[in-house]
Amino acid sequence: MRITVRGKNLEVTDALREYVEKRLGKLSKYLDNLDEAQVTLSVEREHHVVEVTIPLNGMLLRGEENASDMYTSIDLVVEKLEKQIEKYKARFSRRLKNQTLRDLGAADGNGQAKAEEAVEPFKVVRTKRFALKPMPVDEAIMQMNLLGHNFFMFTNAETEEVNVVYRRKDGNYGLIEPEYE
């Protein structure tokens, strides 16, 4: 697996790079043929943040964690990714047609495989329809805030494409734009 480790406000040492590679290597017990992973290590004030993105046949596995030291953040993000894989194992295997997902469950302390939990299908409890009004990004953010939502879908007046603005955990905003392959 090719692991790209970047540092933001931080120099990535060989020890940190090796630790990331070792910990992400644990994911190979759940997933075969992992081609690549992008890892960003950053320091914001006193928080050490680790972001990991792993592309899986058109899907993305992503985790982000922060703690008071970088090694703890790395451990937490790997645990989070393991839980995501376990939780959605049945869906991943259905989607990926068992190409990259092993049928083996994680073993408990006695070496026995855990019983696979029943995975409930996603349940859509409400559907909304609304007209997509062309507007600039700053107006979309204002509209999102007026509605009290964490995200807002709109037609970008500059690009004429459907975009989504969202509120990030750090209080800033993000913009999602489509990318066609």
Side-chain angles (χ1 to χ4, degrees):
M1 172 172 39
R2 186 178 70 239
I3 300 174
T4 306
V5 182
R6 294 184 324 119
K8 197 168 152 185
N9 303 328
L10 162 85
E11 183 178 334
V12 179
T13 64
D14 289 338
L16 268 175
R17 187 179 311 280
E18 288 172 13
Y19 192 74
V20 167
E21 290 172 358
K22 176 183 169 192
R23 294 294 289 150
L24 285 179
K26 285 184 65 176
L27 298 178
S28 65
K29 74 180 181 182
Y30 301 105
L31 301 166
D32 288 329
N33 304 327
L34 285 177
D35 293 333
E36 65 176 301
Q38 289 102 29
V39 180
T40 304
L41 309 175
S42 61
V43 178
E44 298 171 4
R45 295 187 194 125
E46 297 172 12
H47 298 283
H48 294 80
V49 181
V50 178
E51 299 175 34
V52 178
T53 305
I54 302 172
L56 292 172
N57 291 355
M59 295 187 306
L60 286 177
L61 185 61
R62 186 176 186 287
E64 179 179 336
E65 286 294 332
N66 68 65
S68 58
D69 75 271
M70 194 59 73
Y71 292 96
T72 303
S73 296
I74 294 167
D75 291 341
L76 290 172
V77 80
V78 169
E79 286 176 25
K80 183 182 229 176
L81 292 170
E82 286 175 332
K83 288 177 185 173
Q84 286 179 2
I85 291 169
E86 279 297 313
K87 183 175 180 181
Y88 297 112
K89 190 171 191 173
R91 289 199 181 98
F92 277 138
S93 62
R94 222 178 296 131
R95 167 76 191 243
L96 301 176
K97 297 181 179 121
N98 294 325
Q99 291 175 6
T100 61
L101 195 62
R102 291 185 180 172
D103 292 326
L104 301 174
D108 64 13
N110 301 327
Q112 301 293 319
K114 289 191 262 183
E116 202 170 304
E117 297 176 14
V119 177
E120 295 180 24
F122 293 117
K123 185 177 179 182
V124 176
V125 295
R126 184 174 180 189
T127 301
K128 283 186 173 183
R129 292 186 177 274
F130 63 95
L132 291 174
K133 175 186 166 200
M135 61 179 74
V137 175
D138 58 344
E139 185 179 330
I141 292 171
M142 183 179 67
Q143 183 66 52
M144 176 186 68
N145 288 332
L146 288 171
L147 292 170
H149 291 170
N150 292 325
F151 67 93
F152 185 74
M153 186 170 71
F154 67 104
T155 301
N156 191 322
E158 294 174 16
T159 64
E160 297 181 359
E161 293 182 329
V162 174
N163 288 182
V164 175
V165 290
Y166 63 96
R167 185 175 297 109
R168 296 173 44 94
K169 289 179 186 175
D170 64 6
N172 292 314
Y173 298 97
L175 175 67
I176 300 173
E177 298 178 316
E179 181 176 273
Y180 303 101
E181 294 181 12

